[in-house]
Amino acid sequence: MRVSGVLRVLALIIAIVTTWIIIRNCMGFSTKTIRLPRWLAASSTMETQVMKHKCGLIKPCPANHFAFKIGSGAANVVGPTMCFENHMIMSPVKNNVGRGLNIALVNGTTGAVLSQSAFDMYSGDVKHLEKFLKEIPKGALVLVASYDDPGTKMSDEARKLFTNLGSSYAKQLGFRDSWVFIGAKDLRDKSPFEQFLKNNPNTNKYEGWPELLEMEGCVPPRPF
C-alpha cells in the first residue's frame, strides 16, 4: 500500500509539472505571436504616413505648392479622374465626367475650385468649348483630362486657345488621343504639366485607344 501510495503521489506531481510546462509554453507562444517585429511596425507606420499625402502622392508638396493627380480615361470604358489638393473634382464615382474633354478651373492663389465641365468632342458643339476657354478668368489654373475621343470636333480656334494656355500638343490633338494638361493664361513659357499619347494602331494598349495617362505632382501658384 505504501508503494502504491508513493506512486500515486509521484504521478500527481508529474501531471502537475507537465501541465504547468504546457501552460507556460502556450502563454509564451501567444505573447510572441501578438508582438509585431520592430521593422514590421515601422513599415506599417511608414505606409500609413505615405497614404496621408494629398491626392495619394508619395511625397508631400513643398510649401505654397498644390498637390494634384490627373488621369485620362481608359478607352471608352473608364472615365478620367481629377484630384487637386486632396479634393476629387471630377471622377466616374462623382458621375460628372463625359466623353471628350473634361476641364476644371481652380483659383491659382487659393486652390479653390471655380468650375468644372465636360465637352463632347465627338458629336457635340465645339462652340461651347470655345466660349468656355475664352471666359477663363485671369489667375485660374486649367486642368484637362481626355476621355474616349478629344479631337474629332476640335477646331482651329480651340487649338489656338489651348496653345495660349501653355499647351504643346493641342495643335496635334486628334481622334481618340490621350491627353492630360494643366495650364493658365498669360504663361511666360510652355506648361511643364502635360502628357500626350497619339492614337496609333501599332502601339495602342487597348483596341482602338492608346494607354491611359496619369500625371501627378506639385504645381506652384501662378504664374509657373
Side-chain angles (χ1 to χ4, degrees):
M1 293 297 293
R2 291 182 180 179
V3 175
S4 61
V6 172
L7 291 176
R8 288 176 184 176
V9 172
L10 288 175
L12 179 60
I13 293 173
I14 292 172
I16 293 173
V17 172
T18 303
T19 303
W20 179 78
I21 292 174
I22 293 174
I23 293 174
R24 183 181 179 183
N25 289 338
C26 289
M27 290 179 66
F29 178 77
S30 299
T31 303
K32 291 179 181 179
T33 56
I34 62 174
R35 290 179 180 172
L36 286 175
R38 291 182 179 179
W39 65 267
L40 182 56
S43 175
S44 300
T45 303
M46 291 176 60
E47 184 177 351
T48 302
Q49 291 175 348
V50 168
M51 294 305 295
K52 288 181 179 179
H53 298 317
K54 295 176 180 178
C55 293
L57 301 187
I58 297 176
K59 297 181 179 180
C61 289
N64 300 320
H65 283 62
F66 300 119
F68 74 87
K69 180 179 287 186
I70 303 176
S72 67
N76 62 345
V77 180
V78 181
T81 56
M82 196 176 294
C83 177
F84 194 86
E85 278 295 277
N86 221 32
H87 171 57
M88 188 62 70
I89 303 174
M90 305 183 77
S91 73
V93 174
K94 295 179 72 71
N95 196 30
N96 61 351
V97 297
R99 175 178 64 181
L101 291 176
N102 296 267
I103 305 177
L105 302 182
V106 176
N107 186 300
T109 302
T110 66
V113 178
L114 303 176
S115 64
Q116 68 271 338
S117 190
F119 299 90
D120 187 342
M121 301 302 293
Y122 182 76
S123 59
D125 188 348
V126 72
K127 296 296 182 182
H128 298 313
L129 172 63
E130 293 173 357
K131 182 176 184 296
F132 181 89
L133 296 176
K134 289 176 181 177
E135 295 177 351
I136 293 174
K138 189 173 183 179
L141 296 174
V142 184
L143 286 63
V144 184
S146 66
Y147 179 32
D148 188 9
D149 176 23
T152 295
K153 289 285 186 174
M154 183 67 72
S155 63
D156 290 339
E157 179 66 15
R159 295 181 193 278
K160 179 181 177 181
L161 291 168
F162 276 121
T163 300
N164 291 340
L165 292 172
S167 172
S168 300
Y169 296 103
K171 292 181 179 179
Q172 54 185 296
L173 190 65
F175 177 65
R176 290 184 176 177
D177 291 344
S178 289
W179 184 42
V180 289
F181 168 65
I182 296 181
K185 279 188 174 181
D186 305 324
L187 293 185
R188 295 188 294 266
D189 204 348
K190 293 299 182 182
S191 170
F193 303 104
E194 184 174 26
Q195 292 185 15
F196 174 77
L197 269 180
K198 196 69 180 173
N199 173 21
N200 186 331
N202 296 322
T203 58
N204 285 345
K205 182 173 182 179
Y206 312 107
E207 185 177 352
W209 289 269
E211 185 177 4
L212 68 87
L213 294 173
E214 189 171 80
M215 178 175 65
E216 62 181 51
C218 305
V219 58
R222 285 206 67 252
F224 51 75

